[in-house]
Amino acid sequence: MRGIIHFGMPKTGSSSIQDTFHKAKIPDFRYFDWNGANHSNLLAGIVGGDNAPFIQKMTRERVRNRVADWRHRFEEGIARNPVGNIIFSAERLYRSSPDKKRALKAFLDQYCNSYLVIGYIRAPGSFLQSRFQQNVKTGLDQFRVKRAWPRYRHHISEFDAIFGAENVVVRLFDRAHLHNGDVVQDFAHVIGADLDPADIITANENLSLEALALLFTERVHGDGVDRDSLASNRQLVTRLAAVKGRKFSFDPAMIDALITENSGDIAWIEERMGTRFPPTDTPSDNTIGSAKDLFAHAREAQPVLNEQIMQAAAEYTAETPREIARFLEAYATGSAHLAKPRAR
Amino acid sequence: MACGCLSIKSLLKEAGQGIGQAFFPQQIRGVFVKAFVHLGMHKTGTSSVQASYARQAPEGFFYPAERGTNLNVDARLLFEEDETCAKIPYVLRHGQAALPDLRRAAEESLLRQLADSPRDKVILSAERFTYMNRPAVERFRHFLDRHFDETAFFAYIRDPLSFVKSSFQQRLKSGARRINFQADYPGYQARFEKYEDFFGRDRISYRLFRRATLEGGDVVLDLTNWLGSSYRAEDVQTTNEGLSIEAIALLYTYTRHGPQGVDDTPQKTAGQRALIAALSEFGSGKWHLDPAVLDGILTDITQDCAWMNARLDAPLILTETETPNPVSDRASLEAIALRAFPDLRDHLAARLAGTEAKRLPELAAKVDFLRAIS
């Protein structure tokens, strides 16, 4: 059986690939049947990864049992319906340590006798923008860009060393280079899967500049995200993703400085891909170079926020006294802060 | 308990010999001092009277307000037992060991105010007076006898069912989780008989608290008139406004089912105060006691009402007007809350959205509210 390992990289349409292949029935292909389409948690369960949210929520014993149950079901499944290809997809793998990448291979070696490791590579400017946005969605409360540099050579070299460079395919994440201009179709094309385009699921939760600015302000000056607020945070992000507005982009001068600083890394990945990155976006009037810039946009976006509050309230239904209490608690908490600034 | 080691009358008389001048150096006034004691029955506009008088005393009267708008805490400190005083938040803040000093400070403050006042007619007002036990009332009598030449008592009497309902609402507003109407009985005899026993029936005056019969429909104007003075309507402070039944039901639901609810202490959080303020603008519904509950209450209070009726010009009202909102128990309140919620939800959202966040933490709080209701 051939193991197809999709490692992202992050912010290259991974959710669409995962959701599509999780649902689609494709002859001779099997997608690892985990709780969700994204195997990042499964990866953490297999190779260990204390930072994975689902591991933080349970004991090590429960994690082991969960993975053992999954493995039992998986082995029963492939015994009943043998296939030639098994797909594993986790963008967390991109930044995983060599030990963890090795541990995954050792695990898959029990079932697979060959591999196709595939990842899409996004240009640094748009990657950093998208990554920042993603990090704010999950709780980032600092304007931190430099540390998010993708370190192409560092991570891709690890895949090359562990799986063999001849088995590792890296493709430029750019509409002009993708099969039919679509990353899901491109992925299907590269792995040789007969995917019906009608089965493609598009997962797009890009935030407008206004939504991102409001969310970042919440991260810095509000309650932020903790273990207990993961679910409500997802709801908030989904709601804000529906807010239409201007496109968010970083200050080109800031990105150019980072590109210059990492020119060796860029040369290496362009050589590895066999193509060059497209040029950085043309600057607009709304580029962001600091937290202060984002806060200024957040202040301007208050009418947008007010609309969302009214809309969310209208959609809030209370069938039980407890649900009433939850709404009133939210009001009391919000009003308290409106009445008095919080000390942080 | 020792109380009242100082005497205004004696100090004033001795002022010329130096003691009074040493202790009350600012002013010497006439010796004859009359106390008008307002026995503030809860739910009879007492807070409004106190807030108004603290700001502007009636013409010819002195109203001590150095330590607050009423003497509730001072009455406890001056006349009640240690274990009762220990529950006062003011005492809790200072620690039990400080109680003797706090008692003395309360007494000195009150006496200094009285001595400094140019008036010889003094109004003393506290809801607490009606809750004090007999030993405390006896100490109060000693205090009044020592410091005043004459004392008269005034009390407004609210009709019993109206009182029960208002008291019930107040308890829910203050964070009560259990519905127990017995805690809201007016207890007329228990409140006032002790004063009649210690001071004489003829020194206690009662008047019905019915808005329609009050001077200008206002208790502040009415009481001032009753005391023989006058008051400008524009000086009246309106306080302690009631909540609609919808607001009460929602507040109760919040206290009962929320993670935090409303504290049953005076120290509410900013959020709780904001919620109560928002609820005070919401709803208009009246309510009535469910007939089954009403029958039980009337049976329980018959004797007490007879005692009170014997002291009033007109009989107490013992009937209810039916409304769409009968209340008997937790379920009936929660049903009202569920019916009212959609309107409240829109009201609160509009209030929050309509409040401009001027600082970033405020803006973040609005986003957090959005998250909480999404």
Side-chain angles (χ1 to χ4, degrees):
Chain A
M1 186 162 65
R2 181 175 67 153
I4 296 169
I5 300 171
H6 170 234
F7 61 78
M9 59 185 290
K11 312 316 302 169
T12 57
S14 300
S15 296
S16 295
I17 290 174
Q18 290 158 355
D19 290 345
T20 301
F21 281 84
H22 183 55
K23 290 266 171 64
K25 303 290 178 205
I26 302 170
D28 208 32
F29 283 82
R30 186 182 185 91
Y31 192 81
F32 270 110
D33 190 14
W34 177 242
N35 286 345
N38 187 332
H39 295 141
S40 289
N41 282 336
L42 174 59
L43 174 70
I46 292 170
V47 306
D50 293 344
N51 291 329
F54 101 109
I55 287 184
Q56 289 176 339
K57 281 184 190 169
M58 57 178 82
T59 62
R60 289 181 181 282
E61 189 183 356
R62 276 193 68 198
V63 172
R64 272 198 301 276
N65 290 341
R66 180 82 71 88
V67 173
D69 284 350
W70 163 80
R71 187 169 169 177
H72 180 66
R73 278 183 282 114
F74 165 69
E75 289 178 354
E76 276 187 347
I78 54 172
R80 273 199 310 274
N81 295 307
V83 289
N85 300 278
I86 181 82
I87 304 173
F88 180 94
S89 175
E91 59 268 38
R92 179 183 285 270
L93 194 55
Y94 180 74
R95 286 182 182 267
S96 294
S97 69
D99 284 348
K100 286 179 178 167
K101 287 177 175 125
R102 254 183 238 109
L104 175 68
K105 180 169 185 298
F107 176 82
L108 294 175
D109 280 348
Q110 298 171 86
Y111 313 105
C112 301
N113 50 20
S114 68
Y115 292 98
L116 171 59
V117 180
I118 178 167
Y120 290 86
I121 305 299
R122 189 159 177 169
S126 74
F127 170 79
L128 290 170
Q129 280 165 191
S130 191
R131 181 81 193 178
F132 177 77
Q133 194 175 115
Q134 180 61 32
N135 288 346
V136 172
K137 281 183 191 174
T138 54
L140 179 71
D141 61 0
Q142 294 168 47
F143 192 81
R144 206 170 53 196
V145 179
K146 190 174 176 179
R147 282 175 57 182
W149 182 265
R151 300 174 74 199
Y152 302 112
R153 180 176 191 167
H154 178 90
H155 296 303
I156 302 297
S157 297
E158 290 172 357
F159 287 111
D160 288 347
I162 294 166
F163 291 92
E166 70 281 9
N167 297 315
V168 180
V169 174
V170 285
R171 293 179 60 78
L172 176 62
F173 180 74
D174 179 66
R175 190 175 289 274
H177 284 73
L178 297 172
H179 183 70
N180 292 338
D182 178 83
V183 70
V184 182
Q185 292 192 53
D186 192 84
F187 179 75
H189 177 71
V190 172
I191 67 174
D194 185 15
L195 175 71
D196 183 348
D199 288 340
I200 292 174
I201 298 169
T202 304
N204 182 9
E205 276 200 346
N206 274 332
L207 298 179
S208 64
L209 173 58
E210 290 80 357
L212 179 68
L214 287 168
L215 199 58
F216 184 69
T217 302
E218 193 283 331
R219 299 317 189 215
V220 178
H221 292 283
D223 294 339
V225 182
D226 59 19
R227 206 186 291 184
D228 297 329
S229 60
L230 290 173
S232 64
N233 184 58
R234 274 195 294 275
Q235 303 267 23
L236 174 66
V237 169
T238 301
R239 179 170 290 284
L240 289 176
V243 173
K244 304 288 179 214
R246 291 167 292 178
K247 187 175 182 299
F248 155 68
S249 57
F250 278 137
D251 178 1
M254 184 176 81
I255 298 298
D256 286 347
L258 281 172
I259 287 173
T260 304
E261 198 177 312
N262 295 281
S263 57
D265 195 28
I266 290 179
W268 185 89
I269 191 63
E270 287 183 335
E271 169 76 21
R272 181 72 175 78
M273 289 188 298
T275 184
R276 302 202 61 171
F277 285 125
T280 311
D281 282 348
T282 318
S284 73
D285 294 337
N286 303 309
T287 57
I288 301 299
S290 66
K292 203 174 160 189
D293 292 344
L294 277 172
F295 294 148
H297 284 288
R299 287 180 196 280
E300 283 177 20
Q302 194 166 173
V304 173
L305 175 62
N306 293 339
E307 274 174 34
Q308 290 300 312
I309 287 174
M310 294 305 294
Q311 191 178 323
E315 291 166 7
Y316 188 102
T317 54
E319 306 287 338
T320 64
R322 200 170 291 276
E323 286 163 344
I324 291 178
R326 187 165 77 83
F327 189 94
L328 297 184
E329 176 67 13
Y331 180 83
T333 305
S335 299
H337 297 319
L338 273 170
K340 190 178 166 189
R342 269 172 292 188
R344 284 182 66 92
Chain B
M1 188 200 83
C3 75
C5 59
L6 303 165
S7 161
I8 294 178
K9 283 192 293 186
S10 60
L11 286 172
L12 291 172
K13 284 168 182 168
E14 291 164 358
Q17 298 161 32
I19 300 172
Q21 280 176 333
F23 202 86
F24 306 114
Q26 296 167 10
Q27 192 170 1
I28 304 296
R29 61 187 171 90
V31 174
F32 189 85
V33 186
K34 181 171 181 180
F36 295 78
V37 181
H38 174 216
L39 300 172
M41 187 178 185
H42 268 125
K43 318 317 298 176
T44 58
T46 306
S47 298
S48 181
V49 166
Q50 293 164 345
S52 300
Y53 286 1
R55 190 165 176 271
Q56 175 67 53
E59 182 66 34
F61 284 82
F62 174 68
Y63 186 81
E66 184 180 282
R67 289 158 54 89
T69 59
N70 58 54
L71 296 177
N72 285 332
V73 172
D74 291 336
R76 283 187 175 186
L77 288 172
L78 287 168
F79 313 121
E80 299 198 53
E81 289 76 14
D82 285 359
E83 52 270 30
T84 308
C85 293
K87 297 173 190 164
I88 308 172
Y90 171 67
V91 174
L92 288 172
R93 279 200 301 278
H94 287 82
Q96 181 72 13
L99 185 55
D101 290 339
L102 297 176
R103 285 188 188 279
R104 183 170 174 80
E107 184 179 22
E108 286 181 1
S109 166
L110 182 57
L111 296 183
R112 185 179 295 110
Q113 290 179 75
L114 297 175
D116 287 351
S117 165
R119 312 281 177 227
D120 55 8
K121 289 188 285 186
V122 175
I123 300 169
L124 305 175
S125 176
E127 291 93 330
R128 187 67 202 171
F129 292 151
T130 71
Y131 291 96
M132 294 196 306
N133 61 22
R134 295 181 79 89
V137 173
E138 190 170 12
R139 290 183 202 110
F140 188 24
R141 187 185 68 180
H142 289 321
F143 175 87
L144 293 170
D145 286 348
R146 189 176 302 125
H147 299 302
F148 296 92
D149 296 296
E150 192 177 322
T151 308
F153 295 84
F154 299 81
Y156 281 94
I157 304 301
R158 187 153 178 167
D159 287 305
L161 299 180
S162 167
F163 180 86
V164 166
K165 288 163 64 180
S166 189
S167 168
F168 173 70
Q169 290 190 34
Q170 184 61 38
R171 277 196 306 112
L172 296 188
K173 193 174 162 184
S174 303
R177 289 166 190 266
R178 290 186 60 224
I179 294 174
N180 170 21
F181 289 106
Q182 286 181 341
D184 304 304
Y185 289 178
Y188 302 117
Q189 189 171 356
R191 283 175 198 275
F192 302 116
E193 189 177 41
K194 55 203 172 196
Y195 284 92
E196 293 187 3
D197 291 346
F198 281 113
F199 295 92
R201 165 75 187 85
D202 58 326
R203 287 166 72 183
I204 322 294
S205 302
Y206 302 100
R207 186 172 282 194
L208 274 167
F209 178 79
R210 287 181 192 154
R211 209 162 291 280
T213 59
L214 295 176
E215 173 83 15
D218 182 273
V219 70
V220 180
L221 302 180
D222 194 85
L223 175 59
T224 313
N225 182 264
W226 195 8
L227 296 175
S229 183
S230 59
Y231 207 79
R232 295 191 312 170
E234 56 266 36
D235 288 335
V236 171
Q237 304 289 299
T238 307
T239 62
N240 199 17
E241 292 293 345
L243 300 180
S244 69
I245 186 57
E246 294 89 348
I248 287 293
L250 286 155
L251 200 57
Y252 170 74
T253 302
Y254 174 55
T255 299
R256 179 93 196 175
H257 297 281
Q260 194 173 326
V262 174
D263 283 349
D264 56 358
T265 66
Q267 281 72 45
K268 291 184 172 52
T269 66
Q272 290 166 354
R273 285 197 298 274
L275 179 61
I276 291 172
L279 284 170
S280 69
E281 300 169 352
F282 176 75
S284 58
K286 303 288 181 194
W287 62 286
H288 69 277
L289 292 155
D290 184 271
V293 173
L294 180 61
D295 287 348
I297 293 174
L298 290 176
T299 303
D300 289 348
I301 65 173
T302 302
Q303 200 176 340
D304 192 37
C305 290
W307 184 91
M308 193 73 249
N309 270 332
R311 288 154 176 80
L312 295 170
D313 294 339
L316 295 165
I317 295 172
L318 298 173
T319 53
E320 275 263 82
T321 306
E322 197 166 321
T323 72
N325 301 307
V327 172
S328 57
D329 54 12
R330 177 178 142 186
S332 59
L333 274 178
E334 288 175 358
I336 293 170
L338 283 165
R339 280 202 304 276
F341 177 71
D343 287 340
L344 176 81
R345 175 197 65 194
D346 297 343
H347 170 71
L348 294 184
R351 211 170 188 273
L352 201 69
T355 305
E356 188 191 354
K358 294 193 170 73
R359 294 168 301 187
L360 292 170
E362 296 172 353
L363 192 58
K366 288 173 89 166
V367 181
D368 279 328
F369 175 71
L370 177 62
R371 169 163 66 182
I373 65 169
S374 286

